Amino acid sequence: MKVGFIGLGNMGGGMSLNMRKAGFEMVVHDLNHEAAARQIEAGCEWADSPLEVAKASDIVFTSLPGPPEVEAVALGPDGLIAGMRAGTTWFDLSTNSPTVIRRLHAEFAAQGINMLDAPVSGGKTGADRGLLAIWVGGDEAEFNKHKPLLDSIGDAPKYIGPIGAGSVAKLVHNLSAYAIQAALAEAFTMGVKAGVDPLPLWEAIRYGAMGRRRAFDTLSGLMEAKWDPASFALKLAFKDVTLATQLAREVHVPMRISNLVREELEEAMGRGWGDRDSRIAMLLQEERAGLDIKIPIEEIEEVRNRG
């Protein structure tokens, strides 16, 4: 089996080298020929276009900046669709639009070509070291068939669901990460301006309850709908956030995100939920989205126990 790899930048460079180190025969391409120097030295073949990669490969991986670049590589005059054979497979590792992914999937399926979306998370360091989460959407049999390839570039490949599901998971992850980052920046600047030196403040809060917990574990409360008895009551959370936003006003630090959080908690308090668990405020967004998310507790515990 020959593996094609297109896109040898910060992420693709490390991933393609790890595939090669795992012993796979490879052909590579990038807009910048010099970007392939390490891959060629490692024994990969060079191809002059995505079309040439497609013709030479049994399976193709792309790692590109975004939807326009993926579409150009897929459908351009020298693109993948003109060269891939029926029965071959394409994994797109890019962070992409689920809408674009589903449209491309339909076009490739019409030619008998398998396509899966498989965005990754872990940054350049993770790509270089093979420590990546990989979220895959598409045909599960194809995922299982090619899992050894995915294992060569990441330590946590995970089948998520139908085509586009991987991209949805990646966008949920990244949006959440940057929202948390923005909230942390707000709270931290408030603390520093209130008179605490930044290094000891940062060192201290890392050991609080939130610092010790995986960020996404908080969501398990929404799925369990376990609000009683309260682990930490909503009325106490509302009091804490109110105190924090009051302090911010005293030291003249803008708190756009934190004030929205306070409004959410206040609305939940208005429902009469003050004595229930503070995570119950998440129900407000579930209601707005028209959802009723419930997962049996034993299934959640099974995921938790995997580490």
Side-chain angles (χ1 to χ4, degrees):
M1 181 176 65
K2 182 172 282 189
V3 179
F5 203 105
I6 300 171
L8 306 174
N10 282 342
M11 300 297 292
M15 288 190 284
S16 58
L17 280 174
N18 285 329
M19 281 187 181
R20 179 60 188 151
K21 289 173 186 174
F24 295 102
E25 187 179 356
M26 296 186 67
V27 56
V28 299
H29 173 76
D30 191 276
L31 287 176
N32 176 14
H33 192 294
E34 294 178 1
R38 293 184 301 161
Q39 284 74 16
I40 293 170
E41 184 180 351
C44 299
E45 299 175 27
W46 169 260
D48 288 327
S49 68
L51 175 62
E52 295 305 314
V53 171
K55 288 180 177 179
S57 303
D58 301 298
I59 182 169
V60 175
F61 288 80
T62 51
S63 178
L64 301 165
E69 293 81 6
V70 173
E71 287 197 86
V73 163
L75 304 177
D78 290 321
L80 295 177
I81 200 165
M84 292 185 73
R85 305 177 303 280
T88 55
T89 301
W90 168 31
F91 280 86
D92 181 35
L93 304 167
S94 316
T95 299
N96 210 330
S97 157
T99 302
V100 171
I101 283 291
R102 289 164 181 153
R103 177 162 45 80
L104 290 174
H105 175 266
E107 295 198 39
F108 277 71
Q111 303 295 322
I113 302 164
N114 304 301
M115 182 197 177
L116 298 93
D117 58 318
V120 304
S121 180
K124 183 181 185 304
T125 300
D128 290 342
R129 297 174 60 193
L131 300 175
L132 294 172
I134 309 172
W135 299 305
V136 183
D139 184 83
E140 189 171 9
E142 285 296 309
F143 166 80
N144 291 327
K145 177 181 177 181
H146 298 294
K147 191 170 180 292
L149 269 165
L150 298 172
D151 287 334
S152 74
I153 62 173
D155 62 328
K158 172 75 174 174
Y159 178 76
I160 303 296
I163 191 69
S167 295
V168 171
K170 178 64 185 293
L171 295 180
V172 168
H173 176 273
N174 282 19
L175 175 60
S176 300
Y178 290 115
I180 292 168
Q181 177 179 288
L184 290 175
E186 254 190 23
F188 193 71
T189 55
M190 177 200 72
V192 173
K193 198 164 184 184
V196 182
D197 288 340
L199 185 58
L201 175 62
W202 173 69
E203 184 179 10
I205 60 178
R206 288 177 65 235
Y207 290 97
M210 188 64 185
R212 295 172 187 262
R213 183 189 305 144
R214 285 186 174 183
F216 285 91
D217 281 355
T218 302
L219 281 175
S220 65
L222 181 62
M223 297 184 293
E224 295 168 356
K226 187 178 178 182
W227 317 120
D228 306 290
S231 174
F232 190 77
L234 173 66
K235 63 185 178 184
L236 298 177
F238 178 65
K239 177 262 297 181
D240 290 353
V241 172
T242 299
L243 288 172
T245 52
Q246 286 174 348
L247 175 60
R249 286 194 294 273
E250 291 169 13
V251 296
H252 307 293
V253 174
M255 302 287 277
R256 296 165 61 187
I257 297 168
S258 302
N259 285 324
L260 285 173
V261 171
R262 186 187 179 282
E263 288 177 14
E264 287 287 280
L265 299 183
E266 188 172 29
E267 183 175 344
M269 288 286 290
R271 299 284 189 95
W273 296 344
D275 289 320
R276 309 187 79 184
D277 194 87
S278 57
R279 292 175 298 174
I280 198 171
M282 294 190 289
L283 277 182
L284 298 173
Q285 181 61 22
E286 183 180 297
E287 289 178 7
R288 295 175 193 127
L291 294 172
D292 183 18
I293 302 171
K294 298 290 185 296
I295 299 177
I297 184 65
E298 57 271 16
E299 295 182 21
I300 295 172
E301 287 300 329
E302 181 183 350
V303 172
R304 282 198 186 112
N305 291 335
R306 292 178 199 155

